[in-house]
Amino acid sequence: MLKKRIQLAFRLGWILAEVYGRLTQPNIRWKNLFPPPSGKPVTRLALSTRQHSNGESLWISMQMLVYLTLQLYPLTETTDGEQKWFSNAIQPPESIRKFIDCSEQVMIVKQGNFCKPEESFFSDFNHWSREILAVLNAENSLLAEAATLGSGLADTYWQWRLSKYNPKKQHTWEKLLNQYRLRVMIIRVEQIERYLPRYVGSLLCHSLQEVGKASKDEKLIQRIQQEPEFENNFKKDFKKQFKIWESLMLNRPLLYHLNQSDWRIINLSAI
């Protein structure tokens, strides 16, 4: 039972950070986030292609966020038959529920325009994450560790702001790939490793160590400082590692990440 709940908390932390990260990108264009209906032929089924637009990916992540929260803390039925959360801390704030309803109208019913979040949305979202953390920690500190680890891994990509946007220090690659930060995440992995699917913990620890080595590479640091566009390429390369983390988090097969050269090595090794 604890093993399942730790894995759910792990994923919940990841999805919380992913949704927040998608919504706080510096180059986001709200008006065009969801493509408007057109007279073009009907597109292929989303389930078969899994090639989602930014808007679709955001909507899917929002649905996963609510689902994972319900998996951890299901609704309870009162004596009069009404269903309620066991704690107000788990219930999404009104601004978040409105945002989900609005996006559902655009995604499912194809009516209206995608709405920009209310002014209080981001502060509500941030405070909600604190309340969820408090409830998880009250139940079992390992649940809180798992959620923080998942959120920290996702933040490493989603909160990375390129230097050309003049980001705050906490959003720079130097801060996000800082040796101390990565080491803390490795410690969190080690704390919950026995509750994760086989090999997930060791793979995460190894990749975090390798990312840490790259962040100390003097040639890499010098090139980023001298060639601003190189940081963009560095982030694109890191995204490949990030996608592997995502597959590990959501228990997806890693075979999708193998390229032709990888398969050649595997086949030669088999021979």
PDB file of all heavy atoms in Angstrom, residues 171-196:
ATOM      1  N   HIS A 171      16.122  30.652 -11.714  1.00  0.00           N
ATOM      2  CA  HIS A 171      15.669  30.081 -12.976  1.00  0.00           C
ATOM      3  C   HIS A 171      16.822  29.832 -13.955  1.00  0.00           C
ATOM      4  O   HIS A 171      16.575  29.447 -15.096  1.00  0.00           O
ATOM      5  CB  HIS A 171      14.650  31.008 -13.646  1.00  0.00           C
ATOM      6  CG  HIS A 171      13.378  31.161 -12.871  1.00  0.00           C
ATOM      7  ND1 HIS A 171      12.472  30.134 -12.696  1.00  0.00           N
ATOM      8  CD2 HIS A 171      12.850  32.229 -12.206  1.00  0.00           C
ATOM      9  CE1 HIS A 171      11.453  30.560 -11.968  1.00  0.00           C
ATOM     10  NE2 HIS A 171      11.655  31.819 -11.662  1.00  0.00           N
ATOM     11  N   THR A 172      18.046  30.056 -13.540  1.00  0.00           N
ATOM     12  CA  THR A 172      19.183  29.878 -14.445  1.00  0.00           C
ATOM     13  C   THR A 172      19.635  28.424 -14.447  1.00  0.00           C
ATOM     14  O   THR A 172      19.417  27.678 -13.478  1.00  0.00           O
ATOM     15  CB  THR A 172      20.365  30.764 -14.016  1.00  0.00           C
ATOM     16  OG1 THR A 172      20.779  30.384 -12.692  1.00  0.00           O
ATOM     17  CG2 THR A 172      19.970  32.246 -14.026  1.00  0.00           C
ATOM     18  N   TRP A 173      20.308  28.024 -15.526  1.00  0.00           N
ATOM     19  CA  TRP A 173      20.785  26.644 -15.612  1.00  0.00           C
ATOM     20  C   TRP A 173      21.852  26.367 -14.547  1.00  0.00           C
ATOM     21  O   TRP A 173      21.939  25.258 -14.022  1.00  0.00           O
ATOM     22  CB  TRP A 173      21.334  26.361 -17.009  1.00  0.00           C
ATOM     23  CG  TRP A 173      22.658  27.007 -17.318  1.00  0.00           C
ATOM     24  CD1 TRP A 173      22.866  28.243 -17.849  1.00  0.00           C
ATOM     25  CD2 TRP A 173      23.956  26.441 -17.102  1.00  0.00           C
ATOM     26  NE1 TRP A 173      24.217  28.491 -17.978  1.00  0.00           N
ATOM     27  CE2 TRP A 173      24.904  27.394 -17.530  1.00  0.00           C
ATOM     28  CE3 TRP A 173      24.415  25.227 -16.605  1.00  0.00           C
ATOM     29  CZ2 TRP A 173      26.277  27.169 -17.464  1.00  0.00           C
ATOM     30  CZ3 TRP A 173      25.783  24.992 -16.530  1.00  0.00           C
ATOM     31  CH2 TRP A 173      26.698  25.965 -16.973  1.00  0.00           C
ATOM     32  N   GLU A 174      22.636  27.414 -14.194  1.00  0.00           N
ATOM     33  CA  GLU A 174      23.658  27.228 -13.162  1.00  0.00           C
ATOM     34  C   GLU A 174      23.026  26.842 -11.821  1.00  0.00           C
ATOM     35  O   GLU A 174      23.564  26.003 -11.098  1.00  0.00           O
ATOM     36  CB  GLU A 174      24.487  28.509 -12.964  1.00  0.00           C
ATOM     37  CG  GLU A 174      25.347  28.895 -14.170  1.00  0.00           C
ATOM     38  CD  GLU A 174      24.678  29.949 -15.022  1.00  0.00           C
ATOM     39  OE1 GLU A 174      23.426  29.962 -15.064  1.00  0.00           O
ATOM     40  OE2 GLU A 174      25.391  30.750 -15.645  1.00  0.00           O
ATOM     41  N   LYS A 175      21.881  27.451 -11.496  1.00  0.00           N
ATOM     42  CA  LYS A 175      21.198  27.160 -10.237  1.00  0.00           C
ATOM     43  C   LYS A 175      20.501  25.810 -10.290  1.00  0.00           C
ATOM     44  O   LYS A 175      20.580  25.013  -9.345  1.00  0.00           O
ATOM     45  CB  LYS A 175      20.183  28.272  -9.930  1.00  0.00           C
ATOM     46  CG  LYS A 175      19.451  28.103  -8.606  1.00  0.00           C
ATOM     47  CD  LYS A 175      20.380  28.278  -7.422  1.00  0.00           C
ATOM     48  CE  LYS A 175      19.606  28.252  -6.127  1.00  0.00           C
ATOM     49  NZ  LYS A 175      20.508  28.390  -4.949  1.00  0.00           N
ATOM     50  N   LEU A 176      19.814  25.532 -11.403  1.00  0.00           N
ATOM     51  CA  LEU A 176      19.040  24.297 -11.530  1.00  0.00           C
ATOM     52  C   LEU A 176      19.927  23.061 -11.632  1.00  0.00           C
ATOM     53  O   LEU A 176      19.535  21.973 -11.204  1.00  0.00           O
ATOM     54  CB  LEU A 176      18.111  24.389 -12.739  1.00  0.00           C
ATOM     55  CG  LEU A 176      16.969  25.415 -12.594  1.00  0.00           C
ATOM     56  CD1 LEU A 176      16.292  25.664 -13.928  1.00  0.00           C
ATOM     57  CD2 LEU A 176      15.951  24.927 -11.568  1.00  0.00           C
ATOM     58  N   LEU A 177      21.121  23.224 -12.211  1.00  0.00           N
ATOM     59  CA  LEU A 177      22.055  22.106 -12.333  1.00  0.00           C
ATOM     60  C   LEU A 177      23.183  22.184 -11.299  1.00  0.00           C
ATOM     61  O   LEU A 177      24.213  21.547 -11.453  1.00  0.00           O
ATOM     62  CB  LEU A 177      22.646  22.068 -13.752  1.00  0.00           C
ATOM     63  CG  LEU A 177      21.633  21.966 -14.901  1.00  0.00           C
ATOM     64  CD1 LEU A 177      22.352  21.832 -16.227  1.00  0.00           C
ATOM     65  CD2 LEU A 177      20.682  20.792 -14.691  1.00  0.00           C
ATOM     66  N   ASN A 178      22.918  22.962 -10.261  1.00  0.00           N
ATOM     67  CA  ASN A 178      23.891  23.129  -9.185  1.00  0.00           C
ATOM     68  C   ASN A 178      24.200  21.792  -8.511  1.00  0.00           C
ATOM     69  O   ASN A 178      23.312  20.971  -8.284  1.00  0.00           O
ATOM     70  CB  ASN A 178      23.311  24.123  -8.160  1.00  0.00           C
ATOM     71  CG  ASN A 178      24.213  24.307  -6.968  1.00  0.00           C
ATOM     72  OD1 ASN A 178      24.101  23.571  -5.988  1.00  0.00           O
ATOM     73  ND2 ASN A 178      25.085  25.291  -7.036  1.00  0.00           N
ATOM     74  N   GLN A 179      25.486  21.567  -8.188  1.00  0.00           N
ATOM     75  CA  GLN A 179      25.918  20.305  -7.601  1.00  0.00           C
ATOM     76  C   GLN A 179      25.162  19.973  -6.311  1.00  0.00           C
ATOM     77  O   GLN A 179      24.744  18.829  -6.110  1.00  0.00           O
ATOM     78  CB  GLN A 179      27.422  20.353  -7.306  1.00  0.00           C
ATOM     79  CG  GLN A 179      28.299  20.376  -8.538  1.00  0.00           C
ATOM     80  CD  GLN A 179      28.250  19.044  -9.271  1.00  0.00           C
ATOM     81  OE1 GLN A 179      28.586  18.006  -8.721  1.00  0.00           O
ATOM     82  NE2 GLN A 179      27.816  19.079 -10.514  1.00  0.00           N
ATOM     83  N   TYR A 180      24.993  20.951  -5.460  1.00  0.00           N
ATOM     84  CA  TYR A 180      24.311  20.710  -4.186  1.00  0.00           C
ATOM     85  C   TYR A 180      22.855  20.303  -4.430  1.00  0.00           C
ATOM     86  O   TYR A 180      22.350  19.353  -3.798  1.00  0.00           O
ATOM     87  CB  TYR A 180      24.367  21.960  -3.301  1.00  0.00           C
ATOM     88  CG  TYR A 180      23.592  21.810  -2.010  1.00  0.00           C
ATOM     89  CD1 TYR A 180      24.104  21.050  -0.963  1.00  0.00           C
ATOM     90  CD2 TYR A 180      22.352  22.418  -1.861  1.00  0.00           C
ATOM     91  CE1 TYR A 180      23.390  20.895   0.220  1.00  0.00           C
ATOM     92  CE2 TYR A 180      21.628  22.258  -0.686  1.00  0.00           C
ATOM     93  CZ  TYR A 180      22.153  21.507   0.350  1.00  0.00           C
ATOM     94  OH  TYR A 180      21.435  21.351   1.505  1.00  0.00           O
ATOM     95  N   ARG A 181      22.175  21.005  -5.332  1.00  0.00           N
ATOM     96  CA  ARG A 181      20.772  20.693  -5.630  1.00  0.00           C
ATOM     97  C   ARG A 181      20.624  19.271  -6.165  1.00  0.00           C
ATOM     98  O   ARG A 181      19.726  18.524  -5.756  1.00  0.00           O
ATOM     99  CB  ARG A 181      20.215  21.701  -6.638  1.00  0.00           C
ATOM    100  CG  ARG A 181      18.750  21.466  -7.000  1.00  0.00           C
ATOM    101  CD  ARG A 181      18.229  22.556  -7.925  1.00  0.00           C
ATOM    102  NE  ARG A 181      16.812  22.359  -8.176  1.00  0.00           N
ATOM    103  CZ  ARG A 181      16.327  21.608  -9.166  1.00  0.00           C
ATOM    104  NH1 ARG A 181      17.170  20.995 -10.002  1.00  0.00           N
ATOM    105  NH2 ARG A 181      15.021  21.469  -9.337  1.00  0.00           N
ATOM    106  N   LEU A 182      21.502  18.893  -7.081  1.00  0.00           N
ATOM    107  CA  LEU A 182      21.450  17.552  -7.664  1.00  0.00           C
ATOM    108  C   LEU A 182      21.756  16.490  -6.603  1.00  0.00           C
ATOM    109  O   LEU A 182      21.142  15.421  -6.598  1.00  0.00           O
ATOM    110  CB  LEU A 182      22.428  17.441  -8.831  1.00  0.00           C
ATOM    111  CG  LEU A 182      22.128  18.345 -10.034  1.00  0.00           C
ATOM    112  CD1 LEU A 182      23.217  18.208 -11.085  1.00  0.00           C
ATOM    113  CD2 LEU A 182      20.770  18.019 -10.650  1.00  0.00           C
ATOM    114  N   ARG A 183      22.684  16.803  -5.704  1.00  0.00           N
ATOM    115  CA  ARG A 183      23.025  15.848  -4.646  1.00  0.00           C
ATOM    116  C   ARG A 183      21.846  15.633  -3.711  1.00  0.00           C
ATOM    117  O   ARG A 183      21.579  14.506  -3.276  1.00  0.00           O
ATOM    118  CB  ARG A 183      24.250  16.354  -3.861  1.00  0.00           C
ATOM    119  CG  ARG A 183      24.688  15.430  -2.725  1.00  0.00           C
ATOM    120  CD  ARG A 183      25.007  14.032  -3.233  1.00  0.00           C
ATOM    121  NE  ARG A 183      25.128  13.070  -2.152  1.00  0.00           N
ATOM    122  CZ  ARG A 183      25.001  11.771  -2.299  1.00  0.00           C
ATOM    123  NH1 ARG A 183      24.746  11.252  -3.491  1.00  0.00           N
ATOM    124  NH2 ARG A 183      25.117  10.959  -1.267  1.00  0.00           N
ATOM    125  N   VAL A 184      21.131  16.697  -3.392  1.00  0.00           N
ATOM    126  CA  VAL A 184      19.944  16.579  -2.535  1.00  0.00           C
ATOM    127  C   VAL A 184      18.902  15.681  -3.203  1.00  0.00           C
ATOM    128  O   VAL A 184      18.267  14.840  -2.546  1.00  0.00           O
ATOM    129  CB  VAL A 184      19.352  17.965  -2.222  1.00  0.00           C
ATOM    130  CG1 VAL A 184      17.973  17.846  -1.581  1.00  0.00           C
ATOM    131  CG2 VAL A 184      20.276  18.746  -1.287  1.00  0.00           C
ATOM    132  N   MET A 185      18.735  15.834  -4.524  1.00  0.00           N
ATOM    133  CA  MET A 185      17.776  14.985  -5.239  1.00  0.00           C
ATOM    134  C   MET A 185      18.218  13.525  -5.215  1.00  0.00           C
ATOM    135  O   MET A 185      17.390  12.609  -5.107  1.00  0.00           O
ATOM    136  CB  MET A 185      17.575  15.486  -6.667  1.00  0.00           C
ATOM    137  CG  MET A 185      16.701  16.733  -6.741  1.00  0.00           C
ATOM    138  SD  MET A 185      15.977  17.035  -8.369  1.00  0.00           S
ATOM    139  CE  MET A 185      17.392  17.715  -9.218  1.00  0.00           C
ATOM    140  N   ILE A 186      19.513  13.280  -5.330  1.00  0.00           N
ATOM    141  CA  ILE A 186      20.024  11.904  -5.260  1.00  0.00           C
ATOM    142  C   ILE A 186      19.714  11.305  -3.884  1.00  0.00           C
ATOM    143  O   ILE A 186      19.309  10.136  -3.777  1.00  0.00           O
ATOM    144  CB  ILE A 186      21.543  11.872  -5.538  1.00  0.00           C
ATOM    145  CG1 ILE A 186      21.808  12.167  -7.018  1.00  0.00           C
ATOM    146  CG2 ILE A 186      22.133  10.512  -5.157  1.00  0.00           C
ATOM    147  CD1 ILE A 186      23.277  12.328  -7.370  1.00  0.00           C
ATOM    148  N   ILE A 187      19.874  12.098  -2.827  1.00  0.00           N
ATOM    149  CA  ILE A 187      19.556  11.624  -1.474  1.00  0.00           C
ATOM    150  C   ILE A 187      18.071  11.278  -1.382  1.00  0.00           C
ATOM    151  O   ILE A 187      17.685  10.252  -0.783  1.00  0.00           O
ATOM    152  CB  ILE A 187      19.928  12.691  -0.420  1.00  0.00           C
ATOM    153  CG1 ILE A 187      21.457  12.862  -0.361  1.00  0.00           C
ATOM    154  CG2 ILE A 187      19.372  12.324   0.958  1.00  0.00           C
ATOM    155  CD1 ILE A 187      21.915  14.020   0.502  1.00  0.00           C
ATOM    156  N   ARG A 188      17.220  12.090  -1.978  1.00  0.00           N
ATOM    157  CA  ARG A 188      15.777  11.809  -1.963  1.00  0.00           C
ATOM    158  C   ARG A 188      15.461  10.524  -2.729  1.00  0.00           C
ATOM    159  O   ARG A 188      14.593   9.748  -2.325  1.00  0.00           O
ATOM    160  CB  ARG A 188      15.001  12.987  -2.550  1.00  0.00           C
ATOM    161  CG  ARG A 188      14.986  14.220  -1.650  1.00  0.00           C
ATOM    162  CD  ARG A 188      13.895  15.207  -2.024  1.00  0.00           C
ATOM    163  NE  ARG A 188      13.757  16.217  -0.994  1.00  0.00           N
ATOM    164  CZ  ARG A 188      14.180  17.480  -1.130  1.00  0.00           C
ATOM    165  NH1 ARG A 188      14.752  17.874  -2.251  1.00  0.00           N
ATOM    166  NH2 ARG A 188      14.022  18.338  -0.139  1.00  0.00           N
ATOM    167  N   VAL A 189      16.154  10.319  -3.866  1.00  0.00           N
ATOM    168  CA  VAL A 189      15.972   9.074  -4.613  1.00  0.00           C
ATOM    169  C   VAL A 189      16.318   7.886  -3.727  1.00  0.00           C
ATOM    170  O   VAL A 189      15.580   6.889  -3.664  1.00  0.00           O
ATOM    171  CB  VAL A 189      16.845   9.045  -5.889  1.00  0.00           C
ATOM    172  CG1 VAL A 189      16.748   7.668  -6.558  1.00  0.00           C
ATOM    173  CG2 VAL A 189      16.406  10.115  -6.881  1.00  0.00           C
ATOM    174  N   GLU A 190      17.447   7.973  -3.036  1.00  0.00           N
ATOM    175  CA  GLU A 190      17.913   6.866  -2.197  1.00  0.00           C
ATOM    176  C   GLU A 190      16.932   6.570  -1.054  1.00  0.00           C
ATOM    177  O   GLU A 190      16.784   5.423  -0.633  1.00  0.00           O
ATOM    178  CB  GLU A 190      19.296   7.191  -1.633  1.00  0.00           C
ATOM    179  CG  GLU A 190      20.384   7.208  -2.715  1.00  0.00           C
ATOM    180  CD  GLU A 190      21.715   7.759  -2.228  1.00  0.00           C
ATOM    181  OE1 GLU A 190      21.726   8.394  -1.147  1.00  0.00           O
ATOM    182  OE2 GLU A 190      22.732   7.559  -2.921  1.00  0.00           O
ATOM    183  N   GLN A 191      16.236   7.613  -0.579  1.00  0.00           N
ATOM    184  CA  GLN A 191      15.283   7.415   0.510  1.00  0.00           C
ATOM    185  C   GLN A 191      14.068   6.607   0.082  1.00  0.00           C
ATOM    186  O   GLN A 191      13.508   5.847   0.876  1.00  0.00           O
ATOM    187  CB  GLN A 191      14.825   8.775   1.064  1.00  0.00           C
ATOM    188  CG  GLN A 191      15.853   9.461   1.950  1.00  0.00           C
ATOM    189  CD  GLN A 191      15.292  10.729   2.552  1.00  0.00           C
ATOM    190  OE1 GLN A 191      14.985  11.685   1.855  1.00  0.00           O
ATOM    191  NE2 GLN A 191      15.132  10.741   3.865  1.00  0.00           N
ATOM    192  N   ILE A 192      13.639   6.776  -1.163  1.00  0.00           N
ATOM    193  CA  ILE A 192      12.410   6.095  -1.601  1.00  0.00           C
ATOM    194  C   ILE A 192      12.680   5.016  -2.651  1.00  0.00           C
ATOM    195  O   ILE A 192      11.741   4.425  -3.180  1.00  0.00           O
ATOM    196  CB  ILE A 192      11.396   7.114  -2.177  1.00  0.00           C
ATOM    197  CG1 ILE A 192      11.933   7.767  -3.454  1.00  0.00           C
ATOM    198  CG2 ILE A 192      11.028   8.166  -1.139  1.00  0.00           C
ATOM    199  CD1 ILE A 192      10.885   8.581  -4.209  1.00  0.00           C
ATOM    200  N   GLU A 193      13.946   4.747  -2.942  1.00  0.00           N
ATOM    201  CA  GLU A 193      14.311   3.841  -4.041  1.00  0.00           C
ATOM    202  C   GLU A 193      13.648   2.474  -3.927  1.00  0.00           C
ATOM    203  O   GLU A 193      13.186   1.912  -4.924  1.00  0.00           O
ATOM    204  CB  GLU A 193      15.841   3.673  -4.091  1.00  0.00           C
ATOM    205  CG  GLU A 193      16.319   2.871  -5.277  1.00  0.00           C
ATOM    206  CD  GLU A 193      17.835   2.886  -5.406  1.00  0.00           C
ATOM    207  OE1 GLU A 193      18.513   3.454  -4.536  1.00  0.00           O
ATOM    208  OE2 GLU A 193      18.338   2.323  -6.393  1.00  0.00           O
ATOM    209  N   ARG A 194      13.562   1.941  -2.731  1.00  0.00           N
ATOM    210  CA  ARG A 194      13.011   0.581  -2.579  1.00  0.00           C
ATOM    211  C   ARG A 194      11.512   0.528  -2.886  1.00  0.00           C
ATOM    212  O   ARG A 194      10.953  -0.567  -3.041  1.00  0.00           O
ATOM    213  CB  ARG A 194      13.280   0.058  -1.169  1.00  0.00           C
ATOM    214  CG  ARG A 194      12.572   0.801  -0.046  1.00  0.00           C
ATOM    215  CD  ARG A 194      13.017   0.238   1.303  1.00  0.00           C
ATOM    216  NE  ARG A 194      12.347   0.851   2.434  1.00  0.00           N
ATOM    217  CZ  ARG A 194      12.734   1.980   3.012  1.00  0.00           C
ATOM    218  NH1 ARG A 194      13.803   2.636   2.541  1.00  0.00           N
ATOM    219  NH2 ARG A 194      12.072   2.465   4.050  1.00  0.00           N
ATOM    220  N   TYR A 195      10.860   1.688  -2.955  1.00  0.00           N
ATOM    221  CA  TYR A 195       9.426   1.721  -3.252  1.00  0.00           C
ATOM    222  C   TYR A 195       9.140   1.982  -4.738  1.00  0.00           C
ATOM    223  O   TYR A 195       7.988   1.947  -5.152  1.00  0.00           O
ATOM    224  CB  TYR A 195       8.736   2.811  -2.419  1.00  0.00           C
ATOM    225  CG  TYR A 195       8.863   2.598  -0.931  1.00  0.00           C
ATOM    226  CD1 TYR A 195       9.776   3.342  -0.179  1.00  0.00           C
ATOM    227  CD2 TYR A 195       8.077   1.655  -0.278  1.00  0.00           C
ATOM    228  CE1 TYR A 195       9.894   3.147   1.193  1.00  0.00           C
ATOM    229  CE2 TYR A 195       8.197   1.458   1.094  1.00  0.00           C
ATOM    230  CZ  TYR A 195       9.099   2.207   1.819  1.00  0.00           C
ATOM    231  OH  TYR A 195       9.220   2.015   3.174  1.00  0.00           O
ATOM    232  N   LEU A 196      10.180   2.276  -5.500  1.00  0.00           N
ATOM    233  CA  LEU A 196      10.020   2.582  -6.921  1.00  0.00           C
ATOM    234  C   LEU A 196      10.133   1.306  -7.749  1.00  0.00           C
ATOM    235  O   LEU A 196      10.676   0.300  -7.285  1.00  0.00           O
ATOM    236  CB  LEU A 196      11.087   3.589  -7.368  1.00  0.00           C
ATOM    237  CG  LEU A 196      11.097   4.938  -6.636  1.00  0.00           C
ATOM    238  CD1 LEU A 196      12.251   5.792  -7.148  1.00  0.00           C
ATOM    239  CD2 LEU A 196       9.773   5.667  -6.816  1.00  0.00           C
TER     240      LEU A 196
END
